[in-house]
Amino acid sequence: MFDTFSGSKAWLLLAFLSTSVEALSFRNAQSVNFERLLKKRSNFVQHSAQVVLNEGPVFPEFPPQTFPQRLDHNDPSSPTFEQRYWVNTRHYQPGGPVVVIDGGETSGEDRLPFLDTGIADILPKATGGLGVVLEHRYYGQSVPVMNFTTDSLRWLNNAQSLEDSAYFMTHVNFSSSLFPASISPESIRNLTAHNTPWIYYGGSYAGARAAHMRVLYPDIVFGAIASSGVTHATINNWEYMDIIRTAAPTTCSNLIQESMAHIDTLIVNPVSRAPLKALFGLQGVQHDDDFVSVAAWPLSAFQGKNWDEEVSTTQFEEFCYALVGGKAAPDEEELRMMEEWNEALPGFPLDRTLLRHAAFIRKQVVPLCPDTSAQEDCFGTHDDDKFKGTDLDQIWRLWTFQVCTEWGYFISSPPDPEWPSMISRLIDTDYEAKICKQAFPPGRHMRVPEWPNVTVVNELGDFAITHSRLAFIDGEIDPWRPCTPHSQYAEPRDDTISRPFKLIPDGVHHHDQNGLRNPKKEPKHIQRIHHQEVEFVKAWLKEWKAPK
């Protein structure tokens, strides 16, 4: 059973794990389906592949701390909640900076590797500083409400979250028990942002917030690094797939486009619709748009590519390998699929690329829901009741709410029908965004807008956001690059020490955030970006003037 589900490893679960930390991609109704299916499989996979689902790594050196945070910063009588944070004191020397990682749209525990060997250890080690991870409100265990209804989520927005960070930086009182006995209590008391330079780091959504923090709170945030910072919010984010189209190996990219175009031709034909779904093993999926969204699911693994093999995924490469064909002749399963096709549509030739695509979905996705009578429940997205649950286990609602209210990023096919597409033309913004109405009916105090109010994000600077001691680090082939200041739509910039502007060759999503315990084992281009970050942060710190 394990081999049937995963081949040599738990393919789809690992793909999910690699991207679940970054909830930005594929946050639609179908992604909720996959999340639920994978949770059902978690017990089996934990036993067979030693993979733990939805549990952050354990780092005894960094016990969680809590900080009282106001739920509504606009209301002095607002109740408070406990916001979690973690501290790395191993390199701290009095006078050193504080480097804080914004936890972003996931549990803060998922960021602890970056506190151990990543950017929140690299920069403190070079500067005698303190490393901190700050969990974002509503995520992990920093949950201020009893449920996730529309009303209860109304304080989950960029403005309130930015105020959290500013208040934490100016009021946190680090416990002396976290520090070596040689560090004086006086030094520890002086670690708030008014007395110590704080360097704010964020990746992806949190990268945009790092830029916002530097611009909105220049007297609190001494410097900031926005890695893959999506400072441009948008309704239609079709460019995400277009980056994959141009970044993937040409042969693979062409085959994906070819297969998706063939699917679009067959799915609209009443004669070929049912045989096509059966070819993919998805004959129980009623709606055509749901079927094509499942067929495109392997592309979600691209964002999980990383230079470190221990945390990277190879699922996109495996999909490419399957399409290109690692063997000359069809195997037994493919021959059986061809036979089924010929019986359903005699005389109608079956494209070999489409066959390979279907075989891959059969092997890697269908085992999540092999009972065809249940597939509509597994992969269907048109039943509104499936998305009404509001208990605290429904953590998918958090980033979805932020997407629906302020950020957008609905990943659709290109609006130009002549533009090549990596996904079906049936996937449009209406399909991607319908979960906003399904999951968030109007509450008594809060109503989700018809479309996300991206203006509240873009008015903070958009592509042109800039400030002294604000760095932008992006990946050359990051699907999110079109939403960063390195976008093709943004004006070119100079790369300076005061305003670093760096593009990591072959980099995908915030590839500077993680590191190795032995930096010499990192690829040269990662060593280079880490060295450059140390260099400009050290230069920034020379500008710090301690308060009198």
Side-chain angles (χ1 to χ4, degrees):
M1 183 177 179
F2 180 62
D3 287 338
T4 301
F5 173 58
S6 64
S8 62
K9 56 186 175 181
W11 178 86
L12 197 56
L13 180 62
L14 293 178
F16 173 76
L17 287 172
S18 69
T19 55
S20 63
V21 171
E22 296 306 334
L24 279 173
S25 65
F26 291 85
R27 180 41 75 193
N28 56 14
Q30 194 62 263
S31 70
V32 179
N33 285 336
F34 272 87
E35 188 171 322
R36 288 169 171 169
L37 290 169
L38 291 163
K39 283 183 178 179
K40 289 179 181 179
R41 284 280 186 168
S42 64
N43 289 336
F44 162 71
V45 177
Q46 285 174 29
H47 174 72
S48 302
Q50 323 281 268
V51 174
V52 180
L53 183 64
N54 283 342
E55 291 186 10
V58 177
F59 291 89
E61 184 183 352
F62 313 129
Q65 312 295 310
T66 59
F67 177 82
Q69 193 68 259
R70 188 176 295 168
L71 173 60
D72 184 357
H73 290 280
N74 299 315
D75 180 3
S77 63
S78 170
T80 61
F81 67 97
E82 294 299 311
Q83 186 175 28
R84 287 197 303 177
Y85 67 96
W86 296 259
V87 184
N88 174 354
T89 63
R90 59 173 67 138
H91 307 297
Y92 180 70
Q93 296 295 327
V98 177
V99 178
V100 58
I101 289 184
D102 186 310
E105 73 287 14
T106 186
S107 167
E109 292 174 348
D110 292 327
R111 306 302 188 192
L112 295 187
F114 312 135
L115 191 66
D116 183 39
T117 59
I119 197 68
D121 185 70
I122 293 167
L123 293 179
K125 184 177 182 180
T127 60
L130 196 70
V132 176
V133 166
L134 180 63
E135 190 167 68
H136 194 294
R137 61 167 49 206
Y138 283 80
Y139 291 91
Q141 294 182 23
S142 299
V143 181
V145 292
M146 300 299 292
N147 55 55
F148 291 150
T149 63
T150 305
D151 276 343
S152 293
L153 292 171
R154 67 185 185 274
W155 298 284
L156 177 55
N157 56 53
N158 196 38
Q160 293 281 359
S161 304
L162 291 170
E163 285 287 337
D164 285 347
S165 297
Y167 189 75
F168 174 82
M169 294 169 68
T170 53
H171 290 82
V172 65
N173 182 17
F174 295 112
S175 171
S176 59
S177 65
L178 300 173
F179 293 78
S182 58
I183 304 299
S184 69
E186 178 73 16
S187 297
I188 298 171
R189 284 195 296 270
N190 287 335
L191 283 173
T192 56
H194 291 311
N195 301 299
T196 297
W198 281 60
I199 307 298
Y200 200 101
Y201 180 98
S204 196
Y205 156 67
R209 286 171 43 75
H212 296 163
M213 286 297 297
R214 176 64 181 135
V215 170
L216 295 176
Y217 305 96
D219 296 333
I220 298 175
V221 179
F222 182 71
I225 302 174
S227 180
S228 297
V230 286
T231 58
H232 173 73
T234 182
I235 303 295
N236 189 343
N237 190 25
W238 68 273
E239 293 92 344
Y240 180 98
M241 287 295 175
D242 206 52
I243 289 288
I244 299 177
R245 179 181 68 84
T246 58
T250 302
T251 300
C252 175
S253 177
N254 290 340
L255 289 175
I256 294 174
Q257 295 169 57
E258 175 188 316
S259 184
M260 291 299 180
H262 202 172
I263 287 172
D264 278 353
T265 299
L266 296 173
I267 198 68
V268 297
N269 186 330
V271 175
S272 56
R273 177 182 290 116
L276 176 66
K277 291 181 179 179
L279 182 71
F280 278 73
L282 297 170
Q283 53 266 52
V285 178
Q286 296 177 15
H287 297 273
D288 297 344
D289 48 13
D290 290 333
F291 165 75
V292 297
S293 73
V294 175
W297 196 255
L299 276 70
S300 66
F302 188 92
Q303 184 179 318
K305 290 159 62 73
N306 192 274
W307 56 267
D308 182 359
E309 293 181 356
E310 293 297 316
V311 298
S312 184
T313 63
T314 59
Q315 288 75 40
F316 184 80
E317 285 79 5
E318 291 174 21
F319 182 49
C320 285
Y321 182 79
L323 292 187
V324 173
K327 50 191 179 300
D331 60 20
E332 290 186 13
E333 174 66 13
E334 290 178 358
L335 289 173
R336 191 159 46 247
M337 292 167 65
M338 293 171 67
E339 201 173 301
E340 293 171 3
W341 179 266
N342 291 329
E343 288 180 5
L345 291 174
F348 199 101
L350 176 59
D351 179 80
R352 185 72 187 278
T353 301
L354 184 68
L355 172 66
R356 290 168 171 166
H357 187 167
F360 188 84
I361 297 297
R362 275 198 181 195
K363 292 175 183 177
Q364 304 292 6
V365 177
V366 172
L368 290 171
C369 188
D371 182 356
T372 56
S373 65
Q375 285 182 340
E376 179 59 22
D377 182 57
C378 292
F379 300 115
T381 67
H382 290 264
D383 180 2
D384 295 351
D385 289 340
K386 290 175 61 175
F387 308 103
K388 298 298 186 187
T390 60
D391 61 85
L392 296 183
D393 289 335
Q394 310 297 320
I395 57 175
W396 62 267
R397 295 178 67 82
L398 301 175
W399 178 244
T400 307
F401 181 81
Q402 292 187 262
V403 161
C404 292
T405 52
E406 294 183 335
W407 294 85
Y409 300 130
F410 301 119
I411 300 172
S412 71
S413 58
D416 180 354
E418 300 300 318
W419 198 271
S421 180
M422 295 287 275
I423 59 176
S424 169
R425 304 285 178 178
L426 297 183
I427 303 300
D428 56 18
T429 51
D430 287 335
Y431 176 78
E432 293 290 291
K434 64 187 173 68
I435 193 171
C436 297
K437 294 182 176 63
Q438 292 174 307
F440 306 110
R444 181 181 175 186
H445 305 286
M446 171 74 189
R447 178 182 291 269
V448 170
E450 183 72 16
W451 291 99
N453 181 16
V454 296
T455 300
V456 300
V457 175
N458 293 334
E459 66 186 3
L460 299 179
D462 208 321
F463 292 126
I465 189 169
T466 186
H467 204 289
S468 61
R469 298 192 297 274
L470 171 56
F472 290 98
I473 315 292
D474 293 307
E476 183 182 25
I477 57 173
D478 184 356
W480 291 100
R481 184 170 59 81
C483 296
T484 75
H486 272 100
S487 170
Q488 65 268 40
Y489 304 122
E491 292 294 326
R493 302 191 190 192
D494 293 330
D495 175 23
T496 67
I497 287 291
S498 177
R499 300 169 194 251
F501 193 65
K502 301 183 183 296
L503 195 64
I504 303 175
D506 294 320
V508 189
H509 208 46
H510 48 74
H511 270 194
D512 63 311
Q513 193 166 32
N514 56 306
L516 300 180
R517 199 164 302 281
N518 182 356
K520 292 182 180 179
K521 292 185 178 181
E522 297 171 359
K524 294 297 182 183
H525 68 293
I526 299 302
Q527 291 186 47
R528 186 180 307 114
I529 190 63
H530 286 160
H531 173 77
Q532 291 171 341
E533 287 173 312
V534 166
E535 183 181 40
F536 66 66
V537 167
K538 281 185 171 181
W540 291 354
L541 293 175
K542 292 178 181 178
E543 302 175 22
W544 168 256
K545 295 179 181 179
K548 297 180 180 178

